[in-house]
Amino acid sequence: MKPRPVIAGNWKMNMDPLEAREFFRAFHPEFSPGRHPTLLIFPPFVTLAAALNARPEDPRVELGVQNIFWEESGAFTGEVSAVLARAAGATHTLIGHSERRHVFGEQDEDVARKVGAALKAGLVPVVCVGETLEERRGGRLQEVILRQLDAVLPVLSNDADATFILAYEPVWAIGTGETATPDDASQAHGMLRRRLQERLGDVRAADTPILYGGSVKPDNAAELLRAPEVDGVLVGGASLDPASFLAIARAGMPLT
Ligand code: PEP
């Protein structure tokens, strides 16, 4: 049986504090006893406090941030450290989202430093990897996603207790309405899982959730979540609507 699915919502640069309160007025997951999905929501920094106050009082709904800087404190105007994010109530952080890599020029080495900072501060990193359409068409899928994973593995293998999540997000599927097929997702997740097995061992590889992200919607979530090696989904646009996000969560595992 698959481990319990992780259903994550990336609000990106959307949702002010008032809108977050409205979201949670309409978002009431009712979990069945026993197995249940983990729900993670990543609001913008400025909305984190409002979201924490408004979210359901349930440890199965956790909040994270979309990015961190690797230094702990100091003269880094405009940046937020993992330590600050943790103190503000985040439990997770996205790292290396394709928009960070492609819009803001984040490099593999930056991603690795951020993963180290997150772990040190007690945040669970959700490390995003994925190929562009050009790289995929050029037959470079495996090379690209394993290069991105390899960049963070030394940090993760140094800390045997480090818990982390991987997200395979093909760049061509993010915000485009194009979705990878369940087979495409399984294939890429299989490559990532095998690398984790080689470098971190079978137990940690099996314990690490690998999420699929890229135009996940209520009508395609169930088949993606059923696909072998897919342990959850990272949802952008459809996570802004409480009904859609709940429907996706229900596709992962029946809520009551
Ligand atoms: C994302 O932002 O990580 C994402 C997958 O976005 P969307 O679901 O809108 O494609």
Side-chain angles (χ1 to χ4, degrees):
M1 189 189 282
K2 285 187 178 195
R4 66 184 202 211
V6 178
I7 310 292
N10 173 16
W11 284 355
K12 311 196 191 201
M13 199 171 70
N14 300 293
M15 295 285 229
D16 65 25
L18 196 66
E19 290 166 329
R21 282 193 279 273
E22 272 161 24
F23 177 94
F24 284 113
R25 260 199 285 278
F27 183 77
H28 298 290
E30 285 169 22
F31 296 97
S32 318
R35 292 179 74 237
H36 57 78
T38 296
L39 302 182
L40 293 176
I41 296 182
F42 296 89
F45 288 124
V46 293
T47 303
L48 180 63
L52 276 164
N53 280 330
R55 69 157 175 185
E57 292 232 349
D58 191 309
R60 290 165 292 196
V61 182
E62 296 188 75
L63 294 181
V65 290
Q66 299 170 14
N67 182 36
I68 49 159
F69 186 51
W70 54 76
E71 295 290 348
E72 286 187 8
S73 63
F76 301 102
T77 302
E79 294 294 329
V80 173
S81 68
V83 175
L84 290 175
R86 183 77 191 96
T91 53
H92 293 68
T93 178
L94 297 179
I95 298 185
H97 188 279
S98 74
E99 288 149 20
R100 299 295 323 164
R101 293 179 191 264
H102 295 285
V103 182
F104 299 99
E106 233 171 62
Q107 303 296 312
D108 290 340
E109 308 77 62
D110 305 328
V111 173
R113 292 174 85 175
K114 290 181 178 194
V115 170
L119 294 174
K120 192 164 172 218
L123 288 177
V124 177
V126 180
V127 182
C128 305
V129 301
E131 81 291 1
T132 63
L133 191 56
E134 199 188 350
E135 289 163 341
R136 187 179 188 83
R137 287 193 175 142
R140 298 179 53 217
L141 161 70
Q142 172 154 324
E143 173 204 322
V144 170
I145 63 173
L146 293 187
R147 189 204 73 226
Q148 293 171 338
L149 176 58
D150 286 351
V152 299
L153 282 176
V155 184
L156 294 163
S157 59
N158 277 344
D159 181 351
D161 298 324
T163 300
F164 65 101
I165 295 175
L166 273 185
Y168 168 61
E169 296 209 302
V171 181
W172 48 272
I174 297 183
T176 58
E178 295 264 338
T179 316
T181 64
D183 281 352
D184 290 336
S186 290
Q187 196 195 9
H189 287 213
M191 293 170 190
L192 296 168
R193 185 89 64 197
R194 281 189 291 281
R195 188 64 124 222
L196 292 178
Q197 285 166 335
E198 286 161 19
R199 300 289 167 84
L200 303 179
D202 289 349
V203 174
R204 277 185 91 191
D207 284 350
T208 301
I210 306 181
L211 317 185
Y212 167 77
S215 297
V216 175
K217 308 277 180 240
D219 59 359
N220 60 19
E223 58 169 1
L224 285 161
L225 284 160
R226 269 197 306 271
E229 300 291 353
V230 175
D231 304 314
V233 286
L234 176 53
V235 186
S239 71
L240 296 170
D241 173 49
S244 297
F245 194 53
L246 259 185
I248 292 169
R250 287 206 172 93
M253 182 171 292
L255 305 169
T256 54

